[in-house]
């Protein structure tokens, strides 16, 4: 099992609280529901970062929620359109000082539930994945090291020459790109086609 943070409450607890408030369907309960959904997203995002040993780094840099979402988009966890939609609803409910509409909350609830479920599955599925590939002149391996944290690539040529590339958080642009490469290759075992992976690798990185 991954090394999880010791929170009193986790994202699924806040989702449960939100469900209770949503079923009450009063002005106060709907406002409370939105608050719980926001906490569910924040908690699951921080849990994800904690497992990959990135939580303290983002806290030290004082990165806002939107910037953390940029990281998820850049490494290919979420489609940018979905993340923009989530954040637009979130901001509208937070800053307009109005009682949110039940239809908006139901949509927000579904999006946050999906957000929590996807990050939860990634925490279990990807963390310890080490990949090895053969190619015409040798082989290479790639894995994520949560100790530093870093993405480590080793290239072995048939001639006996070995190369080692380490992308860590001292250069967030490089680290984010290598994290994306590793994450995409983890999916190549049956969750994504080679065409999809190559297309995603060609996409740029915005996170700094």
């Amino acid at each position: 099992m991954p090394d999880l943070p010791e929170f009193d409450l986790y994202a699924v607890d806040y989702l449960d609280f939100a469900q209770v408030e949503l079923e009450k369907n009063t002005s106060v309960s709907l406002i409370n529901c939105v608050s719980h959904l926001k906490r569910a997203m924040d908690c699951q995002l921080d849990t994800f970062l904690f497992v990959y040993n990135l939580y303290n780094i983002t806290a030290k840099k004082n990165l806002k929620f939107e910037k953390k979402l940029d990281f998820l988009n850049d490494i290919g966890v979420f489609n940018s359109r979905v993340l923009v939609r989530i954040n637009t609803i979130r901001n509208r409910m937070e800053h307009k000082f109005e009682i949110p509409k039940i239809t908006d909350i139901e949509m927000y609830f579904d999006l946050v539930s999906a957000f929590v479920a996807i990050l939860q599955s990634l925490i279990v599925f990807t963390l310890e994945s080490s990949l090895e590939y053969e190619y015409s002149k040798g082989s290479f391996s790639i894995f994520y090291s949560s100790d530093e944290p870093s993405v480590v690539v080793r290239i072995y040529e048939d001639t006996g020459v070995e190369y080692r590339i380490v992308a860590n958080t001292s250069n967030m642009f490089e680290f984010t790109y290598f994290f994306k490469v590793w994450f995409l290759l983890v999916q190549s075992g049956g969750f994504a086609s080679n065409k999809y992976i190559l297309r995603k690798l060609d996409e740029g990185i915005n996170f700094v």
Side-chain angles (χ1 to χ4, degrees):
M1 288 296 293
D3 184 19
L4 295 170
E6 294 183 4
F7 296 153
D8 289 335
L9 296 170
Y10 294 91
V12 290
D13 295 303
Y14 289 115
L15 283 178
D16 194 38
F17 299 156
Q19 179 70 49
V20 171
E21 297 293 342
L22 184 60
E23 291 173 356
K24 292 178 183 178
N25 196 15
T26 66
S27 297
V28 173
S29 69
L30 293 180
I31 292 171
N32 289 338
C33 179
V34 171
S35 297
H36 290 315
L37 290 174
K38 286 167 56 183
R39 293 187 187 100
M41 282 196 72
D42 288 337
C43 182
Q44 191 69 345
L45 184 48
D46 282 347
T47 299
F48 178 84
L49 294 171
F50 183 93
V51 167
Y52 287 92
N53 200 18
L54 299 170
Y55 179 79
N56 289 334
I57 294 171
T58 56
K60 190 179 295 184
K61 291 177 178 288
N62 196 28
L63 296 183
K64 304 301 182 185
F65 180 80
E66 292 79 6
K67 204 64 178 175
K68 295 176 184 178
L69 289 186
D70 285 344
F71 177 70
L72 293 185
N73 175 52
D74 283 339
I75 65 175
V77 173
F78 279 95
N79 183 300
S80 60
R81 290 178 58 191
V82 173
L83 294 176
V84 167
R85 191 176 187 185
I86 289 175
N87 215 30
T88 298
I89 296 174
R90 174 187 172 105
N91 288 335
R92 188 171 71 241
M93 291 181 178
E94 185 173 357
H95 298 301
K96 285 202 170 184
F97 303 103
E98 60 185 22
I99 298 171
K101 298 179 177 62
I102 186 69
T103 52
D104 287 341
I105 294 183
E106 288 174 342
M107 181 188 301
Y108 189 36
F109 185 95
D110 290 341
L111 288 171
V112 173
S113 296
F115 180 90
V116 169
I118 290 171
L119 286 189
Q120 192 173 64
S121 65
L122 291 178
I123 287 170
V124 175
F125 175 67
T126 64
L127 182 60
E128 297 300 328
S129 296
S130 178
L131 306 167
E132 294 187 9
Y133 296 90
E134 301 288 334
Y135 70 106
S136 60
K137 295 182 179 180
S139 63
F140 81 94
S141 66
I142 181 170
F143 67 94
Y144 184 85
S145 172
S146 58
D147 294 335
E148 192 171 351
S150 59
V151 180
V152 180
V153 177
R154 290 193 175 101
I155 302 171
Y156 310 91
E157 293 189 350
D158 292 337
T159 58
V161 177
E162 178 181 335
Y163 302 94
R164 189 170 183 267
I165 303 169
V166 179
N168 57 40
T169 54
S170 63
N171 185 321
M172 285 303 299
F173 183 86
E174 285 186 359
F175 172 77
T176 302
Y177 182 76
F178 274 81
F179 195 116
K180 176 182 180 178
V181 171
W182 170 75
F183 176 69
L184 286 170
L185 290 176
V186 169
Q187 298 178 72
S188 68
F191 295 95
S193 68
N194 291 340
K195 188 175 181 180
Y196 170 85
I197 291 171
L198 289 171
R199 179 169 59 83
K200 287 296 181 181
L201 288 174
D202 281 339
E203 294 178 356
I205 294 294
N206 299 310
F207 186 82
V208 178

